[in-house]
Amino acid sequence: MTDVPHDELARVVREHAGQLAAALVPLIGDFATAEDLVQDAVLAALERWPVDGVPDRPDAWLFTVARRRGLDVLRRQGNYRRKLAQLRWPVQPEPDGRLRLIFTCCHPALARPAQIALTLRVVCGLTTAQIARAFLVPEATVAQRITRAKRKITDAGIPYRMPADDELAPRLNEVLTVIYLLFNEGYLATAEQAQSADLAGDAEWLATLLHQLMPTEPEVAGLLALIRLHRARAAARVTADGDLMLLEDQDRSLWDRDAIAAATHLLVRAASHHRPGPYQLQAAIVACHAEAERFEDTDWPQIVVLYDMLALLIPSPVIRLHRTVALRYTVGARAALEELEKLATELDRYHLFHAVRAELLRALGRPEPARDADRRALELTANPAERALLHARVRGT
């Protein structure tokens, strides 16, 4: 078997690399060394599998490669014989092994960029080069983040374990935030389009894994529903030429209605716990859009209510910005613009503030100020799809 599709390679490597890392950390006794063993195996797989094909037992293949270097490590340790006896496949990690791995990578003692890089490398099996390409940063920068993170884990004695009950909520928030940021990086396509699609897929995979291991946590389910609702509509969001399609212009026949229904059902189950949170509320807002057969059918009053609830949990000017979009369709463009102008100081360097302002000005019949606002938005974004859209607006206003 040759010419293995890249997506299949990524899926197999990602799945088994995470399992292997979860097994090796407690066995080797050192997070950094175990992670190095896994990366050696991943790099070998990415080199050999496109030529030789995915082996019948990819988990055993990866383990064999990791084992070769692991033996050298163990030979340097006094308890070599005892550990060598344990180094057999399949290693049986505890059921929450990969979950412990995610929580270790997202420990609050690590900086957010390091959390993301370490999660992508250790849990998802991405190489340093892949992570660097995805986030448009030098490979050396990513390598430095990962090295510092591993050193921090070792020097600070960060334990490879699930947090205690009194630590779980803030630690879970860190994990959810990393997954959310990872998804945004992919979905908003600030990086190269193909790489961004991979990142969105990795975020969904991580959220799925977390939900499988923590099925009663409503915010985990809420984040997973949010990601799946967005991805269910992705086919209509960007044209074949890479042009961004606004929500009102999208071909809704391209939306995956089965996926939308399943994600909405997941969200309803999460809401049954009666513990609302930011991810559930964001997912509910997206569900309002996704369930509308036509743009004109959107339940804008409900969206305003959801944004009001979200603003109570997260008093963010960005949330208030998005709320003004819904206000346009409930109380009119003039009232929405009045609310938007209150955010001018806080969001002056945020391109979406100016893009939304341009739309409201255009709706009020003020083309010249609208063009100026679009130009300001254009100055503030490097996203190719967004820039193309803004250029078209400036030319056509």
Side-chain angles (χ1 to χ4, degrees):
M1 175 181 175
T2 57
D3 297 326
V4 185
H6 177 270
D7 289 348
E8 175 67 8
L9 274 176
R11 183 193 66 78
V12 174
V13 169
R14 179 176 60 192
E15 178 180 348
H16 294 295
Q19 292 175 333
L20 183 57
L24 288 176
V25 170
L27 181 64
I28 299 298
D30 177 74
F31 185 93
T33 301
E35 192 271 338
D36 286 342
L37 297 179
V38 173
Q39 283 306 303
D40 281 352
V42 168
L43 289 171
L46 293 175
E47 178 181 345
R48 295 306 315 164
W49 290 1
V51 178
D52 301 336
V54 177
D56 293 336
R57 291 287 309 282
D59 53 349
W61 192 100
L62 288 167
F63 180 77
T64 299
V65 174
R67 182 178 185 273
R68 290 171 185 161
R69 182 172 179 185
L71 291 175
D72 293 334
V73 173
L74 294 178
R75 286 191 184 99
R76 294 194 292 270
Q77 299 180 355
N79 51 2
Y80 162 68
R81 291 185 180 277
R82 178 179 61 80
K83 288 197 172 185
L84 181 59
Q86 299 176 45
L87 199 55
R88 298 290 184 267
W89 191 259
V91 177
Q92 297 296 331
E94 297 178 19
D96 64 350
R98 282 180 295 176
L99 183 57
R100 289 206 309 270
L101 194 62
I102 294 173
F103 273 94
T104 301
C105 292
C106 297
H107 193 280
L110 303 177
R112 183 62 48 72
Q115 292 176 349
I116 295 174
L118 199 59
T119 300
L120 284 173
R121 178 157 176 173
V122 178
V123 184
C124 298
L126 271 66
T127 65
T128 303
Q130 288 173 317
I131 300 169
R133 285 197 303 271
F135 285 90
L136 296 180
V137 296
E139 187 173 344
T141 300
V142 174
Q144 187 177 57
R145 289 174 183 171
I146 292 172
T147 299
R148 286 177 175 174
K150 290 189 292 184
R151 186 183 302 123
K152 179 75 172 181
I153 288 173
T154 300
D155 293 347
I158 294 174
Y160 171 68
R161 63 169 176 81
M162 282 290 293
D165 289 344
D166 60 344
E167 301 173 325
L168 186 58
R171 291 283 297 278
L172 178 59
N173 287 340
E174 290 292 326
V175 174
L176 292 174
T177 300
V178 165
I179 297 175
Y180 180 69
L181 291 174
L182 178 61
F183 173 72
N184 275 345
E185 182 66 26
Y187 184 74
L188 298 178
T190 59
E192 179 184 342
Q193 186 172 350
Q195 290 296 329
S196 296
D198 289 344
L199 289 177
D202 283 324
E204 182 178 355
W205 178 78
L206 285 172
T208 301
L209 172 62
L210 197 60
H211 179 59
Q212 290 171 349
L213 296 170
M214 305 181 74
T216 61
E217 283 292 334
E219 276 293 81
V220 175
L223 177 57
L224 179 57
L226 174 64
I227 291 172
R228 288 180 173 173
L229 284 165
H230 276 305
R231 300 199 78 201
R233 301 177 300 150
R237 185 170 176 266
V238 180
T239 68
D241 296 328
D243 294 329
L244 191 64
M245 297 295 292
L246 296 177
L247 184 61
E248 57 264 39
D249 299 324
Q250 290 180 15
D251 180 358
R252 299 191 177 209
S253 69
L254 298 176
W255 291 3
D256 188 337
R257 291 292 175 183
D258 290 338
I260 289 171
T264 302
H265 181 64
L266 176 63
L267 181 60
V268 170
R269 291 207 314 269
S272 69
H273 292 280
H274 303 292
R275 285 189 284 148
Y279 296 112
Q280 295 171 74
L281 291 172
Q282 289 180 74
I285 291 168
V286 178
C288 286
H289 291 294
E291 291 177 327
E293 292 291 335
R294 303 175 305 156
F295 182 77
E296 295 80 6
D297 300 329
T298 306
D299 190 349
W300 292 108
Q302 178 64 24
I303 291 175
V304 172
V305 171
L306 290 168
Y307 271 123
D308 287 339
M309 296 172 64
L310 187 59
L312 290 174
L313 295 177
I314 309 175
S316 162
V318 174
I319 291 171
R320 293 166 60 196
L321 165 66
H322 289 298
R323 180 179 178 273
T324 63
V325 177
L327 285 177
R328 173 186 176 182
Y329 298 101
T330 54
V331 296
R334 188 175 304 280
L337 181 61
E338 290 176 0
E339 287 296 312
L340 184 71
E341 298 290 13
K342 297 175 183 178
L343 305 172
T345 301
E346 293 174 283
L347 297 180
D348 181 60
R349 297 199 59 78
Y350 186 43
H351 71 285
L352 288 182
F353 167 80
H354 298 283
V356 171
R357 185 169 180 271
E359 280 290 275
L360 294 175
L361 289 167
R362 192 174 293 109
L364 292 170
R366 301 170 60 187
E368 288 305 319
R371 183 180 288 110
D372 290 340
D374 277 329
R375 288 195 183 103
R376 177 61 174 156
L378 191 57
E379 294 173 357
L380 295 171
T381 181
N383 182 296
E386 290 178 336
R387 289 184 61 83
L389 178 63
L390 290 166
H391 271 300
R393 284 183 175 178
V394 169
R395 291 193 301 268
T397 301

